[in-house]
Amino acid sequence: MRIARAVKHFRAGEKVKLAIIDADEQTRRMQEAVAHRAYAIFESRGSAGWHELEDWRQAESDLITPLCCGQMTVGDNLWIGADIAALQEGTIEVWIAPRKITVCGMPCVDKMDDNRKHLGPRPDEEMIFHVRDLTVEIDPFHVTAKVNGPSLEILLKKAQAKLRDIAHASAV
């Protein structure tokens, strides 16, 4: 009997790249990655036709998933905590738009799904994307993100709070 030991994640101080990218551009970049993956799946089938939709859907499920996270409002801020254990250290990017956030990075090699190997190799340079549509509008210029163990903590300032502060200052 083999006993597996829990692996602790010490990713403190890891750099996270923040980029303000509008929602349409985020979608375009993800669709481009999906197209490349779908073509790789097509080639792994021996370039057999009539599976285009199946290949596309498989590519989407390989690369794009909802951002599974905890979310809470703290004053005029929105706090999001997300699991990033499946992403390689040093490859994490957060794309911010007023109503959409995408966390992306390279997948950890040991986290790859063995059940998908029959669909062809996943190139090492392929990013995976975790997407979350936001229920409130945020100010993309006031975002902070930090790695805390296997989690990514993102603090987003609500756009409404900024407008309320401007209205209050002009009333005085």
Side-chain angles (χ1 to χ4, degrees), residues 120-138:
R122 175 186 261 169
D124 292 337
E125 66 276 358
E126 269 186 350
M127 293 182 88
I128 56 175
F129 306 91
H130 303 291
V131 182
R132 175 99 175 183
D133 290 319
L134 302 172
T135 56
V136 296
E137 190 166 326
I138 56 101

Side-chain angles (χ1 to χ4, degrees), residues 85-171:
L87 299 177
Q88 284 182 24
E89 189 170 336
T91 66
I92 299 169
E93 295 182 19
V94 178
W95 298 344
I96 304 130
R99 290 252 181 194
K100 183 177 187 176
I101 188 166
T102 301
V103 177
C104 52
M106 302 297 187
C108 290
V109 177
D110 60 338
K111 304 285 185 195
M112 285 182 63
D113 187 357
D114 290 333
N115 296 329
R116 296 179 194 259
K117 287 185 179 174
H118 71 282
L119 295 171
R122 175 186 261 169
D124 292 337
E125 66 276 358
E126 269 186 350
M127 293 182 88
I128 56 175
F129 306 91
H130 303 291
V131 182
R132 175 99 175 183
D133 290 319
L134 302 172
T135 56
V136 296
E137 190 166 326
I138 56 101
D139 180 358
F141 295 98
H142 290 91
V143 176
T144 59
K146 70 175 185 173
V147 175
N148 186 2
S151 299
L152 176 64
E153 296 179 1
I154 306 167
L155 191 62
L156 308 142
K157 186 168 182 82
K158 291 181 186 176
Q160 298 153 348
K162 186 177 180 182
L163 294 175
R164 185 174 55 233
D165 292 343
I166 293 170
H168 178 54
S170 65

Side-chain angles (χ1 to χ4, degrees), residues 2 8 10 26 43 48 54 59 61 69 73 78 81 91 98 114 117 119 130 133 147 156:
R2 187 174 173 194
K8 292 188 177 184
F10 296 102
Q26 289 182 32
E43 285 184 326
E54 182 182 337
S61 72
C69 63
T73 301
L78 182 65
T91 66
D114 290 333
K117 287 185 179 174
L119 295 171
H130 303 291
D133 290 319
V147 175
L156 308 142

Side-chain angles (χ1 to χ4, degrees), residues 27-93:
T27 301
R28 189 199 64 74
R29 289 181 182 191
M30 288 185 284
Q31 295 303 312
E32 184 178 318
V34 169
H36 287 287
R37 177 71 180 138
Y39 187 75
I41 294 169
F42 165 74
E43 285 184 326
S44 74
R45 290 181 191 271
S47 302
W50 300 102
H51 296 281
E52 295 85 2
L53 187 56
E54 182 182 337
D55 294 347
W56 187 268
R57 288 187 177 151
Q58 183 62 53
E60 281 184 325
S61 72
D62 285 352
L63 301 180
I64 302 173
T65 60
L67 179 62
C68 296
C69 63
Q71 177 178 317
M72 68 180 166
T73 301
V74 181
D76 291 334
N77 297 310
L78 182 65
W79 177 90
I80 295 177
D83 181 12
I84 55 166
L87 299 177
Q88 284 182 24
E89 189 170 336
T91 66
I92 299 169
E93 295 182 19

